[in-house]
Amino acid sequence: LKENLKLEKNELLDATFMSVEKLMRFYEEQIALCKKEDILFSLHLKATMMKVSDPIIFGYALKVYFKELFEEFKEEFEKLGINANNGLSELLGKVENSSQKETILKKYQEILDKSADISMVNSDKGITNLHIPSDVIVDASMPAMLKNGAKLWDKDGKERDANALIPDKTYATIYEAVIEDLHKNGTLNPAKLGSVSNVGLMAKKAQEYGSHDKTFVAPEDGTMRVVVNKEVLLEHKLNKGDIYRANQAKFDAILNWIDLGIQRQELSGDEAFFWLDENRASDKIMINLVQERLKEKGKNIAILAPYEACLKNLELIRAGKNVIAITGNVLRDYLTDLFPILELGTSAKMLSVVPMLNGGAMFETGAGGSAPKQVEQLVEENHLRWDSLGEFLALQASLEFYAQKCKSNKAKVLADCLDEAIGEWLENNKTPSRKVGEDDNRTSHFYLALYWAKYLSRQAQDVELQSFFKDIDMELSSKEDEIRAEFNNAQGVRVELGGYYKFDDAKAEKVMRPSVLFNEIIAKIGQK
């Protein structure tokens, strides 16, 4: 199935498979449970990143739920080219062209009526949890569901208790830990909580997110082997249809990740944990490498399985302490959504820093999953509710990083003043409103500029920057009400961006920069 698998010295290679027989039994049992207890059936996967394996796992859920449909119309579905991995959306779309359309849709409705109710992505438009594999993304959907009392929406738009299916023995346990903590200790109070920062193993296509070219569906019953020079390194007995996956992690990337975790712990003084499960083959090897490296460095950082680590993290942040989670790349994604969403309802307010192997760093924010709905509102009402706090934090952290790396005093002053500006922005609650006609993303950017210019004009560490921003501060302050009015008065109409994935620059600029006064001030800064 794959030739020339390149391995470096000391590289970590592991493999595993998911039994489709057990997966289908799991789905059957859970659908029956949902029907019995009158709760919503809801599947949570990561098809956006696990883009080979998870659509297949998704497809089996569809085939189990609509088993009678797939059996009765097997030949017709094959003729129409229906692939369950693409979800109900494709199935219903292709059935429109079938001569058996009425019979198929009648059977489809019968199954919906007698089986467990499915949770909805959009009740108004009839889009279910099983419509498109990438509609429900586990790292965003699960924290939101838990924050909402484990309730999702049914076909009538009503909130109901739901059963979240995550066919993953290891990572699903972090959500079990959250449920246990919430039952025991109640909701999380953002005003009193510490924070969880994350050091994730990301480099060189490490682990699950780099496994796409080594993920296969078993074509028949047999044995899957990884062989080097006739030596069998790994082997698994598979049945037809089982999903097989091999992962790699480069040795230098692993050591760099361990060292970054140690470094972060030293710099912050916060308690840190490696999230590794000894019941997973790759994690067991990783645990040995971590223990050896900690011994070399004379450090003592605890290693816990995800369930225990999550409980411990929650215990510490409830006590107002900060914690460092040192994880693989999947858990890094899950955690950087989990804690911000549980606290604040969004991960847009979250900053993620990804140090690079050669000394650079990437600064980013979360909540990309909410963007489509927000773009929809922008187009319909010219109101953009996207919260850019995470981006502001990323800009501040990158300036700070540059200042330290390049010994730049100007960058340090810019970073320090931006930090102050963000603080005032938060105190004055300049986050975008959800309602048209009120402050949105564009206004929030104006206020960040206003506060940043204020602190730059009043600092004494760099006279040149102080002088440069003095007039800008005065002009922005004196025209605050007029500029704000220009932004808000532009709202309430449909706009044209000239594209969806790629905008027309001129049209997008007209929409995003509707304040003539603010544009004039920005132009003056450019001329200076």
Side-chain angles (χ1 to χ4, degrees):
L1 292 169
K2 185 174 179 65
E3 298 287 341
N4 301 316
L5 185 66
K6 302 290 185 188
L7 292 174
E8 295 176 2
K9 185 181 179 184
N10 290 326
E11 184 169 349
L12 193 156
L13 172 73
D14 74 282
T16 188
F17 73 96
M18 181 175 281
S19 163
V20 164
E21 182 189 344
K22 290 183 179 178
L23 176 65
M24 292 176 83
R25 196 184 314 140
F26 168 70
Y27 286 145
E28 285 167 359
E29 290 167 356
Q30 297 306 311
I31 291 168
L33 177 75
C34 292
K35 178 66 178 175
K36 181 184 173 186
E37 298 192 5
D38 193 27
I39 56 178
L40 298 174
F41 168 86
S42 187
L43 181 62
H44 300 256
L45 296 166
K46 183 76 171 175
T48 48
M49 291 298 280
M50 300 309 300
K51 52 193 175 189
V52 178
S53 59
D54 280 23
I56 300 167
I57 296 169
F58 178 92
Y60 278 111
L62 197 70
K63 283 187 270 193
V64 170
Y65 189 95
F66 293 101
K67 185 179 179 181
E68 294 170 37
L69 198 66
F70 279 90
E71 286 177 351
E72 190 173 329
F73 300 98
K74 185 174 184 289
E75 289 181 11
E76 181 66 9
F77 282 7
E78 285 174 1
K79 192 172 83 177
L80 292 169
I82 289 170
N83 182 351
N85 300 355
N86 295 330
L88 265 182
S89 182
E90 179 185 282
L91 187 153
L92 294 172
K94 289 187 173 179
V95 162
E96 287 293 317
N97 302 316
S98 172
S99 58
Q100 300 181 55
K101 173 185 169 183
E102 298 303 323
T103 319
I104 292 169
L105 291 179
K106 184 182 177 186
K107 187 68 181 179
Y108 166 76
Q109 194 58 50
E110 275 176 24
I111 295 167
L112 284 178
D113 291 342
K114 72 180 181 182
S115 190
D117 289 342
I118 308 173
S119 70
M120 304 298 284
V121 169
N122 189 321
S123 306
D124 295 337
K125 295 181 179 178
I127 299 171
T128 73
N129 175 258
L130 294 177
H131 260 63
I132 299 170
S134 57
D135 264 355
V136 179
I137 304 169
V138 61
D139 47 345
S141 63
M142 281 305 300
M145 177 183 169
L146 294 174
K147 189 173 175 65
N148 196 40
K151 293 179 185 295
L152 291 170
W153 290 266
D154 68 9
K155 62 181 183 294
D156 300 318
K158 293 175 182 172
E159 287 187 354
R160 283 171 55 190
D161 287 341
N163 183 16
L165 276 64
I166 309 171
D168 188 317
K169 283 184 180 177
T170 304
Y171 301 145
T173 61
I174 69 169
Y175 302 114
E176 290 181 349
V178 173
I179 291 169
E180 185 178 318
D181 175 85
L182 292 171
H183 277 164
K184 186 179 175 183
N185 302 306
T187 55
L188 297 157
N189 181 354
K192 295 180 179 178
L193 287 178
S195 63
V196 180
S197 55
N198 187 268
V199 178
L201 175 56
M202 298 289 288
K204 298 186 175 179
K205 296 182 179 178
Q207 297 186 294
E208 289 98 322
Y209 284 175
S211 68
H212 312 312
D213 62 336
K214 299 173 291 295
T215 301
F216 305 99
V217 174
E220 57 195 49
D221 293 357
T223 305
M224 193 78 84
R225 296 188 179 94
V226 178
V227 181
V228 179
N229 299 328
K230 297 184 179 179
E231 179 191 354
V232 178
L233 297 182
L234 297 163
E235 71 174 9
H236 296 85
K237 289 195 182 302
L238 274 68
N239 293 321
K240 185 177 180 179
D242 288 350
I243 307 161
Y244 176 89
R245 182 179 74 202
N247 301 316
Q248 291 172 262
K250 301 286 188 284
F251 186 65
D252 60 341
I254 295 168
L255 289 189
N256 179 261
W257 166 68
I258 297 168
D259 288 349
L260 283 170
I262 293 169
Q263 182 186 50
R264 184 73 190 157
Q265 196 279 324
E266 287 175 341
L267 286 170
S268 66
D270 299 329
E271 196 162 352
F273 300 93
F274 283 92
W275 294 47
L276 295 165
D277 184 355
E278 63 178 7
N279 294 312
R280 300 181 94 213
S282 60
D283 278 16
K284 193 165 188 175
I285 301 168
M286 203 87 77
I287 286 168
N288 291 334
L289 294 174
V290 169
Q291 288 171 334
E292 286 172 20
R293 194 66 169 175
L294 289 172
K295 193 174 178 183
E296 281 175 32
K297 300 274 186 177
K299 299 294 176 185
N300 182 26
I301 296 177
I303 303 170
L304 297 175
Y307 177 78
E308 287 77 16
C310 192
L311 281 177
K312 188 66 181 172
N313 275 239
L314 286 161
E315 177 193 326
L316 289 167
I317 65 170
R318 280 185 184 276
K321 297 175 182 177
N322 295 333
V323 197
I324 302 161
I326 312 169
T327 71
N329 54 15
V330 171
L331 277 176
R332 174 221 173 238
D333 247 12
Y334 287 17
L335 297 187
T336 48
D337 269 324
L338 176 63
F339 293 107
I341 291 174
L342 284 177
E343 291 179 44
L344 301 168
T346 174
S347 59
K349 300 176 189 291
M350 178 275 300
L351 165 66
S352 176
V353 182
V354 185
M356 302 299 185
L357 282 177
N358 292 328
M362 179 171 70
F363 301 83
E364 58 176 348
T365 186
S370 63
K373 294 295 290 180
Q374 298 188 17
V375 172
E376 191 178 298
Q377 185 183 16
L378 173 65
V379 171
E380 294 294 330
E381 302 180 329
N382 196 14
H383 180 89
L384 182 59
R385 68 176 187 263
W386 176 266
D387 188 334
S388 286
L389 176 59
E391 294 142 49
F392 300 159
L393 294 170
L395 179 59
Q396 192 277 333
S398 61
L399 285 167
E400 197 170 63
F401 177 86
Y402 181 87
Q404 292 168 352
K405 199 89 174 167
C406 302
K407 305 289 186 286
S408 167
N409 186 59
K410 268 193 170 46
K412 184 180 185 305
V413 171
L414 286 166
D416 290 346
C417 290
L418 181 52
D419 195 33
E420 296 274 11
I422 292 169
E424 185 164 345
W425 187 94
L426 285 165
E427 284 174 11
N428 293 335
N429 191 25
K430 293 304 178 184
T431 189
S433 163
R434 298 174 69 88
K435 294 181 181 177
V436 66
E438 297 180 359
D439 288 347
D440 74 350
N441 177 274
R442 295 163 288 195
T443 325
S444 73
H445 273 78
F446 161 69
Y447 276 105
L448 184 79
L450 173 69
Y451 300 146
W452 197 2
K454 180 176 88 170
Y455 286 104
L456 283 165
S457 70
R458 297 175 194 185
Q459 53 78 33
Q461 286 74 40
D462 189 299
V463 178
E464 188 181 355
L465 283 173
Q466 182 191 56
S467 172
F468 185 91
F469 280 97
K470 197 168 184 180
D471 292 342
I472 296 164
D473 171 35
M474 286 178 64
E475 196 165 5
L476 288 171
S477 300
S478 65
K479 294 177 179 174
E480 175 188 345
D481 293 340
E482 294 169 76
I483 292 170
R484 186 183 179 195
E486 282 185 326
F487 278 122
N488 292 345
N489 291 340
Q491 297 181 39
V493 294
R494 185 178 174 84
V495 295
E496 178 56 57
L497 296 168
Y500 185 80
Y501 293 104
K502 188 177 188 302
F503 297 158
D504 176 289
D505 288 348
K507 289 179 179 178
E509 181 165 330
K510 187 179 176 184
V511 171
M512 292 304 299
R513 302 185 62 195
S515 169
V516 176
L517 287 171
F518 191 41
N519 293 344
E520 287 172 355
I521 296 168
I522 296 293
K524 287 178 190 174
I525 296 170
Q527 287 161 9
K528 281 190 176 184

